[in-house]
Amino acid sequence: MADTHRFEVTDDKSANWAFQKLAEIKPKKDEMLKKYKVFIDQAEEWREKEIGKLNDREAYFQGMIESYRLTLPDKKVNVPAGQTIVSHRKKVEYEESDLIEFVKNNHPDYIRQEVNKADFKKIIKPSQDGKYVDEDGQIVKGMHYEKAETVTYKTN
């Protein structure tokens, strides 16, 4: 019958051994990630080169079709292998302050208010009971926290 005893950390000596084994893993992971990055960089370079060639060919053929399209009375090409579709859009530009003022006064249902949580958290502090208080000591409603424990294993 095979021994199924599993190693356990039961004292400082066995904990030290486990940390030594843990320390052996990081350089191996770092080396693997370094190789992976080289591979990814090479693949990205190849992709950019190949896609670049295809983009150039695409632009070449689109340019030829566009030149032909502009000679047609209705400015449209429609052949069995494809067609040109011309669409017209409006580019909308906004003057935010004027727009907000107008919508507030005339169409308030379209105004949305949001809390800038990142900036707000800078002015509040956690209390002992899982709540937050502002600089005036008022309890912040609608916000609470729960304590969580994280253990980090650092090798030397």
Side-chain angles (χ1 to χ4, degrees):
M1 186 173 203
D3 184 10
T4 59
H5 179 69
R6 191 176 136 189
F7 178 81
E8 293 181 15
V9 174
T10 57
D11 55 19
D12 284 352
K13 183 178 176 184
S14 58
N16 190 55
W17 180 85
F19 270 109
Q20 288 171 341
K21 292 299 175 187
L22 196 56
E24 292 172 6
I25 294 171
K26 183 173 180 357
K28 290 177 184 176
K29 281 174 62 178
D30 290 346
E31 182 62 27
M32 184 180 290
L33 289 172
K34 195 164 114 181
K35 288 178 182 177
Y36 171 76
K37 184 174 179 347
V38 168
F39 173 78
I40 292 299
D41 290 346
Q42 290 171 343
E44 184 65 23
E45 186 179 311
W46 172 83
R47 184 193 65 80
E48 286 177 12
K49 185 176 110 190
E50 295 301 315
I51 293 294
K53 288 179 195 175
L54 293 171
N55 286 341
D56 290 347
R57 289 190 64 198
E58 182 179 53
Y60 172 74
F61 287 110
Q62 286 174 346
M64 288 193 309
I65 294 168
E66 181 63 10
S67 293
Y68 172 64
R69 183 186 76 80
L70 294 174
T71 66
L72 300 174
D74 63 356
K75 307 289 190 230
K76 295 178 184 176
V77 177
N78 190 358
V79 295
Q83 64 181 336
T84 58
I85 299 170
V86 179
S87 59
H88 303 279
R89 290 184 296 269
K90 295 177 186 171
K91 181 180 177 194
V92 180
E93 295 182 6
Y94 300 98
E95 292 292 332
E96 282 298 316
S97 59
D98 293 341
L99 179 62
I100 289 171
E101 191 63 33
F102 178 83
V103 175
K104 265 186 192 177
N105 293 332
N106 299 289
H107 307 280
D109 292 347
Y110 293 95
I111 295 292
R112 178 175 58 198
Q113 293 182 2
E114 294 180 18
V115 174
N116 182 335
K117 293 174 187 161
D119 286 345
F120 183 63
K121 284 169 86 177
K122 293 175 186 175
I123 67 160
I124 61 175
K125 295 191 176 358
S127 66
Q128 296 293 338
D129 57 357
K131 297 179 181 170
Y132 287 93
V133 294
D134 66 9
E135 55 222 351
D136 298 328
Q138 297 180 74
I139 294 175
V140 177
K141 292 183 180 179
M143 198 172 165
H144 69 279
Y145 69 92
E146 294 177 16
K147 292 183 180 178
E149 180 178 80
T150 301
V151 178
T152 302
Y153 301 91
K154 181 179 179 250
T155 61
N156 296 330

